[in-house]
Amino acid sequence: MTGTAGAQLAPTAGAGPVEADWAAAEALIRALPPTARVLLICHVNPDGDALGSMLGFGLGLLRFGVGRLQATFPGPPEVPEPFRGLPGLELLVPASDADPAPDLVICFDAASESRLGELAGRLTSAGAALVLDHHASNAGFGTVNLVDPAAAATSVVAEQLLTRLGVPLDRAVAECLYVALTTDTGSFRFEATTPAVHHLAARLLATGISPGDISRRVFDTRPFGAVRLFGEVLGRARLEPSAADGRGLVWTFATLDDLTRHDQRSYVLEALIDSVRCTAEADVSCVLKQVRPDEWAVSMRSKGAVDVSRVAVALGGGGHRFAAGFTGRGAAEQVIGSIRGQLDAAMIRSDA
């Protein structure tokens, strides 16, 4: 297999994959020799869609006949508690143990190369790179790019490619893809939930997976320390009704000291944005999660009046109109100040 990440089939801005993209992706996988080494990578601090899409597709590749397969993600090799029951976890290796020069690397749910952290170099050291994603801000950084901004989750793209490869759904593959689909649609509550999403969910459920058990594990189980932590962090939330040209901003922050004091791991904070975004007086919600003394993982949500992906992209991140994020640096007030400025700029551009 030949080619590098420099010879790209980039997606058309705002459009999903065309038939040539699907055919190229399928050809990459079908051309793999029996001894081929395949490395699957998802983004740093993986969520349900990143892990579920990657592991579900990885299990599908094993069914397809790929024998030498690794899955990984940048940063500490810790799987968040809600996803520790996923099938396929045995495929995971620490980033430090990932194949340095695989024949094919496949990236999942990463809007940009920067989201791959220390593993970004695999894009050029691999024989070819295939990107599966659904972020509108993804400009295409692989040899072949399957980027569909209309897809509710990256798992939708992964399932479509498995179907084209003739890989049947089984319970293990379906559970991974269902977790991915439910997390990125907010249990089918978000705007990206379409009839096609429900049709896919029905096919996944038809394999015999238990939606009740999955929901309890992924959404409805939380350590008591996390409950106390949420209460403290929500207690410092601030509402700025005049922000975003009067659409409103609500935000809060969680520090490393907060996590230490309540004896919690950082992954518990991923669900915090859902408790903030319900604020009636604000279209935009934001949670700052401290990663290092001067570094924050920032999650943003919109109810529709503001395109938060514009804000995130301007600040070095990416995402969707309704959900986006970036890495902020400096004090919390400095990061929020930059968000305020970009919200104003985004509203000016929108009006124009």
Side-chain angles (χ1 to χ4, degrees):
M1 194 166 41
T2 61
T4 68
Q8 300 173 347
L9 287 176
T12 303
V18 298
E19 177 56 31
D21 300 320
W22 289 107
E26 186 178 347
L28 273 180
I29 295 173
R30 291 190 181 279
L32 290 171
T35 57
R37 293 166 292 125
V38 178
L39 178 64
L40 312 182
I41 308 174
C42 67
H43 63 69
V44 65
N45 299 321
D47 56 12
D49 191 21
L51 277 173
S53 297
M54 179 173 69
L55 295 179
F57 195 82
L59 290 172
L61 286 181
L62 293 179
R63 313 290 190 266
F64 183 73
V66 175
R68 302 177 67 182
L69 183 68
Q70 291 180 324
T72 191
F73 52 86
E78 180 180 15
V79 175
E81 182 67 35
F83 310 123
R84 290 180 186 171
L86 278 175
L89 290 177
E90 66 277 4
L91 300 177
L92 288 175
V93 299
S96 58
D97 294 342
D99 194 321
D103 296 295
L104 175 64
V105 61
I106 309 179
C107 302
F108 297 83
D109 204 41
S112 65
E113 295 175 68
S114 63
R115 295 283 283 160
L116 302 178
E118 67 268 30
L119 293 164
R122 300 304 197 282
L123 295 170
T124 51
S125 65
L130 171 59
V131 173
L132 276 61
D133 190 29
H134 71 129
H135 293 92
S137 59
N138 192 318
F141 53 86
T143 312
V144 177
N145 300 280
L146 297 180
V147 180
D148 187 359
T154 296
S155 61
V156 174
V157 181
E159 190 275 337
Q160 290 174 328
L161 184 53
L162 287 176
T163 297
R164 291 185 66 110
L165 292 168
V167 178
L169 288 173
D170 59 24
R171 290 186 63 167
V173 172
E175 180 170 338
C176 291
L177 298 181
Y178 186 81
V179 167
L181 190 63
T182 55
T183 51
D184 254 31
T185 59
S187 294
F188 309 107
R189 293 180 292 121
F190 297 160
E191 289 80 359
T193 303
T194 63
V197 166
H198 285 295
H199 284 304
L200 173 56
R203 294 201 304 276
L204 298 175
L205 291 172
T207 64
I209 60 176
S210 171
D213 178 62
I214 291 171
S215 293
R216 279 188 292 274
R217 282 191 282 117
V218 174
F219 299 110
D220 300 330
T221 301
R222 190 168 296 149
F224 182 65
V227 174
R228 297 289 299 272
L229 171 61
F230 275 35
E232 182 175 331
V233 175
L234 290 173
R236 65 171 72 117
R238 304 182 196 178
L239 175 64
E240 301 183 15
S242 63
D245 196 27
R247 273 75 170 181
L249 166 68
V250 60
W251 64 278
T252 190
F253 64 94
T255 68
L256 294 173
D257 285 343
D258 294 332
L259 290 168
T260 300
R261 189 166 54 257
H262 293 281
D263 193 26
Q264 294 301 303
R265 309 295 291 175
S266 59
Y267 72 81
V268 303
L269 297 173
E270 295 306 310
L272 186 59
I273 189 69
D274 294 323
S275 298
V276 178
R277 69 188 295 271
C278 64
T279 303
E281 296 88 345
D283 181 79
V284 179
S285 52
C286 180
V287 173
L288 280 62
K289 297 158 286 187
Q290 192 174 37
V291 179
R292 296 180 182 85
D294 63 345
E295 183 177 319
W296 306 81
V298 182
S299 297
M300 303 182 66
R301 299 291 184 270
S302 168
K303 294 176 182 174
V306 180
D307 183 349
V308 291
S309 70
R310 292 187 177 187
V311 177
V313 169
L315 295 172
H320 312 283
R321 177 182 179 87
F322 302 106
F326 67 96
T327 298
R329 291 178 173 82
E333 284 287 357
Q334 291 176 301
V335 177
I336 286 296
S338 66
I339 292 172
R340 289 191 197 100
Q342 289 300 327
L343 282 173
D344 292 340
M347 298 313 299
I348 291 172
R349 290 194 298 268
S350 178
D351 290 342

